[in-house]
Amino acid sequence: MQLDLNLLAALDALLEEGSVAGAAARLHVTAPAMSRSLGRIRRTTGDQILVRTGRTMTPTPYAIAVRQQVHELLHEVQRVLAPSRELDLATLERTFTLRWHDSLVALSGPALLAAVRREAPGVRLRFVAESDVDTPGLRRGEVDLEANADRAGAPDIRTEKVGETRVVIVVRQGHPLTRVRIVTAEQYAAAEHVTVSRRGNLGNALDDALARLGLTRRVVATAPTEAAALEFARASDLLISVPEATTRSAAAGLGLAVLPLPLELPPAPVHLSWHQRYDTDQAHAWLRGLARTALTVGGAS
């Protein structure tokens, strides 16, 4: 049997996108061309791969069963066929996409960009915002590096802890809690709070820690970013509880006070994540090293 390796790329795109139009856009081909590829895949495998259910396409049981294997095979083929050569940073031209927590972009992004521009002026960085839902950006190759508090659970995602930081309280100067010697858990719980959550969650691990003490707090609002939350604290007696490393500089610039958190809480971790397909990619490994340094020096350790 003679096999066309282009069909492997088409099959991978069809299984990832779940539609002919989506797969065509992903591979930069026309929809009719992708439809022809789907027809050839069906004849080769003897399976329909995608079947129409109303207005959408649904993968067959066979397609679901081989999806991960197809994905891995495609990248194995790409690694085999890609020429091996020494990395020349002076001539490297590449755009990397980074999905980092917004506070990490503000804290460590400038140092990373400066290092990249110094070593490889032809490289560009695309920092993109985190979504309010989990996305398969790393797996799909849409994102090169993620940096946040999450440890990825998927076996094909590499995750490295690059630092951690304690959670602190941030309030306006002159807030009643700035006038006490030590903030107690009871005083902390009695205040009104703003949480930071890109998903809009009103509760988090702090509420679990308070519950263990028989205490509850009143969360009056959520903010999608730490920068927005700091503005709430700046203009009111609201409390925000945030990682110290990512907010101490910003809090000082806004004239806010940073107080110790009166709860036993594990430090907030900072994780760097990427897909295993980039393990041996020299340019990606170089960027990972710079990102690791920037995140550590930036105060995450």
Side-chain angles (χ1 to χ4, degrees):
M1 179 186 296
Q2 290 186 339
L3 296 178
D4 183 353
L5 291 180
N6 288 324
L7 292 184
L8 188 63
L11 178 56
D12 179 64
L14 286 163
L15 296 180
E16 286 289 324
E17 298 294 337
S19 73
V20 170
R26 180 169 178 160
L27 295 184
H28 305 290
V29 300
T30 64
M34 183 55 66
S35 293
R36 290 192 293 272
S37 294
L38 176 57
R40 293 177 60 195
I41 292 169
R42 285 169 169 170
R43 289 192 295 273
T44 301
T45 63
D47 187 86
Q48 289 296 299
I49 304 299
L50 294 174
V51 295
R52 185 162 296 282
T53 53
R55 295 185 178 181
T56 61
M57 301 289 282
T58 301
T60 64
Y62 169 79
I64 294 172
V66 302
R67 177 159 41 200
Q68 186 60 32
Q69 184 180 5
V70 168
H71 199 66
E72 293 172 356
L73 279 173
L74 176 62
H75 289 288
E76 282 295 326
V77 170
Q78 291 172 337
R79 277 196 292 266
V80 169
L81 298 180
S84 177
R85 56 193 177 198
E86 291 297 319
L87 179 64
D88 184 358
L89 293 176
T91 61
L92 178 64
E93 292 190 4
R94 185 162 167 180
T95 299
F96 292 98
T97 300
L98 298 88
R99 178 174 286 140
W100 288 17
H101 189 279
D102 69 283
S103 62
L104 293 176
V105 177
L107 180 71
S108 301
L112 175 59
L113 181 58
V116 166
R117 287 174 55 81
R118 183 170 59 250
E119 297 185 20
V123 169
R124 299 186 299 176
L125 301 182
R126 295 177 64 244
F127 286 98
V128 297
E130 290 188 294
S131 172
D132 61 352
V133 295
D134 292 329
T135 62
L138 290 176
R139 178 171 291 168
R140 291 160 60 104
E142 299 167 350
V143 175
D144 293 287
L145 276 177
E146 287 191 353
N148 49 42
D150 300 328
R151 173 174 286 279
D156 56 336
I157 303 299
R158 309 293 194 216
T159 299
E160 176 184 344
K161 182 179 176 182
V162 295
E164 61 183 24
T165 180
R166 64 174 181 166
V167 176
V168 294
I169 304 169
V170 177
V171 296
R172 66 172 179 83
Q173 292 288 355
H175 188 284
L177 290 184
T178 63
R179 296 192 287 269
V180 302
R181 189 171 64 87
I182 297 176
V183 178
T184 66
E186 289 76 13
Q187 290 170 324
Y188 174 79
E192 294 184 324
H193 300 252
V194 173
T195 64
V196 180
S197 171
R198 69 179 188 273
R199 294 182 174 90
N201 295 330
L202 291 167
N204 53 36
L206 289 167
D207 297 283
D208 298 332
L210 286 169
R212 290 192 289 270
L213 299 176
L215 299 171
T216 59
R217 63 174 178 163
R218 181 165 183 251
V219 176
V220 301
T222 68
T225 66
E226 290 176 7
L230 289 173
E231 292 297 331
F232 281 111
R234 186 184 185 189
S236 68
D237 280 344
L238 296 172
L239 270 63
I240 63 170
S241 305
V242 286
E244 180 181 28
T246 59
T247 53
R248 179 171 286 278
S249 177
L254 293 173
L256 297 169
V258 177
L259 306 174
L261 184 75
L263 298 172
E264 291 293 330
L265 204 67
V270 177
H271 291 119
L272 193 64
S273 302
W274 66 94
H275 193 272
Q276 65 182 7
R277 74 171 69 91
Y278 294 120
D279 282 350
T280 58
D281 183 311
Q282 295 183 65
H284 197 280
W286 162 77
L287 181 68
R288 293 198 302 269
L290 294 185
R292 186 182 300 113
T293 299
L295 288 166
T296 302
V297 173
S301 62

